[in-house]
Amino acid sequence: MTVAGLLDALASSEPTPGGGTAAAIAGAMGTSLLVMVTGLAKSRNNTDDEKAALARAREALLPMSGRLSTLADRDAESFNAVMAAYRQPKATDDEKAARSKAIQAALAGATTVPLDTLRACAEVLAQAPAVAQHGNRAAASDARVAVGLLRAAAAGAHANVAINLEGIKDEAFKTATAADAARLSSAADRDASAALQALD
Amino acid sequence: MTVAGLLDALASSEPTPGGGTAAAIAGAMGTSLLVMVTGLAKSRNNTDDEKAALARAREALLPMSGRLSTLADRDAESFNAVMAAYRQPKATDDEKAARSKAIQAALAGATTVPLDTLRACAEVLAQAPAVAQHGNRAAASDARVAVGLLRAAAAGAHANVAINLEGIKDEAFKTATAADAARLSSAADRDASAALQALD
């Protein structure tokens, strides 16, 4: 999909793609910017230790932009599945039961995708303090933009987890997922703050 | 450009596109999501006043996603111009003077583009409280993602204004631009907070 096509699709009143997709793409852009910083010829002080730390961060970061892109697509698919479940027939008791089961399964999927987006953003942000500390100062504003986008992506993914959890009846799943999301958000915020501090 | 191509270009160690482009695209995605909310058949309470307020916001928002996309391209171009100026010959005094003048002109351009991005994000965020207040509650998480992306885009654009201002020698331009950026950032933060409060 082209960038212009994505922007048009987000703006259309069709239900997908929506915020979950936009959050994942923002996270992927932030990841790509961090990858860029780890690939510059010069590190902050040009020491071997610093270059080794950036190489380790780069290795961890390289698969993550693609993973977030995939999650952007899966977010739209999972929400389409929720709407398809709601459209199932509900004339008989059997149909009602089957529809309710399908809705619950689809909502669980639509919760798991943004949770995975949040997890991916948290994993990327775990590398951000090292990138901020050791990366070339000439790219400091790129690193700052990256961290801001990843923090916004994580918060956006968390909002999508929360809204889809509202419709889920399985209390154990709700509690476990909400706790997982809260833990990942805290870690993401902590790492984002540490990275921004290293850029000041 | 495709989304995958943009992500690859951001990740490459080529100097452009960089954080300024990523910030503008994030702002464009946030704008598109707000446009989507204003285009839904139902508003929050389905009153005529509410629909009129959303229609006014929609009209203000419609051109802004395209403007931010254009600024994303112009950000890369303006930074390429800075690098081209630095590569000008500097063997003679005349060449040195011409190069210095070219660098200053290019840096002013590379400052004005993210300032325009920041201004566009602030203009979009000025519509966000109305969208948050009157938009369909079913799209609350989309509006929340939009505001988060626009806030991150504004902060990222501000970081790019600041880093390019550092190299500029015209003190009057520096002071005026820094003041303009600070004012726009404050307005953006205030409107983002108001919108998020209306979504709670």
Side-chain angles (χ1 to χ4, degrees), chain A residues 88-100:
Chain A
Q88 284 191 21
K90 49 179 179 175
T92 68
D93 282 353
D94 277 0
E95 282 178 354
K96 279 181 194 163
R99 177 175 173 272
S100 174

Side-chain angles (χ1 to χ4, degrees), chain A residues 29-110:
Chain A
M29 288 199 295
T31 305
S32 286
L33 286 171
L34 292 179
V35 167
M36 182 269 281
V37 178
T38 65
L40 297 174
K42 286 186 184 170
S43 64
R44 188 187 288 207
N45 302 305
N46 256 338
T47 64
D48 288 344
D49 279 1
E50 228 176 36
K51 288 181 178 177
L54 287 171
R56 281 194 300 276
R58 184 176 180 82
E59 200 173 343
L61 291 170
L62 275 175
M64 300 306 287
S65 183
R67 188 185 300 178
L68 282 159
S69 287
T70 303
L71 286 164
D73 293 335
R74 286 185 51 209
D75 196 274
E77 290 159 14
S78 70
F79 194 70
N80 290 339
V82 172
M83 289 183 300
Y86 274 106
R87 282 192 302 266
Q88 284 191 21
K90 49 179 179 175
T92 68
D93 282 353
D94 277 0
E95 282 178 354
K96 279 181 194 163
R99 177 175 173 272
S100 174
K101 201 175 163 185
I103 290 169
Q104 288 299 308
L107 280 173

